[in-house]
Amino acid sequence: LKEVEAAEPEFLSPHAYLADIYRMRGEFREYLRESRIAAQLRHDERLLSVVRAGEQGLQAGGTAGMYEAMLRRQKELHSAGDERVYALARTSALAGRKAEALDYLRQAYERREPMMTGLLVDSAFRELRKEPEFQRLVAKVGLG
């Protein structure tokens, strides 16, 4: 991915994949850097505002501060109709808020949000996979 990124810096996929890898490795500055680049390449001001919130949160309160700041911004965007519930579920899960994440996933299912098809492979939900409610949602979506 780093080679593709170096050869084609305007190609979106390496940045998006690297962001996820850095997040899973606990390298949050790199995660946010790659997320910022991906948002800029997408010309996605909404996502860029979430990344900015995460950067400020990381600086002020470490990893927990990063996720809380991102979630707060996503909730603001959702209230304005600019954020899907699935995104709230992801960040809630990453912040360790299992019940809240499951509630958002139920809402995402009810709204038929397309990202629900990736439920089983989305690394954000790793800690939820053994939860009975998560397993029920997987079955409802038709993935289990």
Side-chain angles (χ1 to χ4, degrees):
L1 287 172
K2 294 298 279 177
E3 290 176 15
V4 174
E5 180 184 49
E8 298 288 336
E10 305 266 328
F11 186 43
L12 173 64
S13 292
H15 299 288
Y17 288 123
L18 284 168
D20 206 35
I21 290 167
Y22 285 132
R23 181 189 49 76
M24 288 187 289
R25 290 171 50 174
E27 298 175 30
F28 297 109
R29 289 192 195 294
E30 292 80 4
Y31 156 66
L32 291 167
R33 183 188 71 239
E34 293 294 342
S35 295
R36 175 182 281 278
I37 294 168
Q40 290 168 335
L41 289 173
R42 288 181 176 137
H43 305 286
D44 188 338
E45 286 301 318
R46 175 197 54 79
L47 180 55
L48 196 52
S49 74
V50 174
V51 172
R52 279 190 212 108
E55 291 167 340
Q56 292 169 354
L58 182 64
Q59 187 169 358
T63 306
M66 177 187 74
Y67 287 132
E68 291 303 320
M70 292 171 80
L71 187 57
R72 197 168 33 254
R73 180 63 185 136
Q74 287 175 313
K75 287 178 179 181
E76 291 168 359
L77 291 166
H78 178 69
S79 292
D82 291 331
E83 185 68 278
R84 292 191 183 262
V85 180
Y86 186 88
L88 296 171
R90 289 187 90 248
T91 307
S92 295
L94 292 168
R97 297 177 170 201
K98 288 182 180 183
E100 188 174 336
L102 289 167
D103 185 51
Y104 284 135
L105 283 174
R106 279 190 292 277
Q107 291 178 49
Y109 170 77
E110 290 167 4
R111 295 172 186 211
R112 306 280 192 251
E113 290 189 6
M115 292 298 292
M116 289 295 288
T117 59
L119 200 55
L120 280 178
V121 295
D122 193 325
S123 64
F125 302 119
R126 184 174 302 171
E127 297 298 317
L128 295 180
R129 291 190 180 132
K130 292 182 181 177
E131 298 290 325
E133 180 61 21
F134 184 85
Q135 293 172 2
R136 281 192 286 279
L137 282 166
V138 166
K140 283 182 178 180
V141 173
L143 301 172

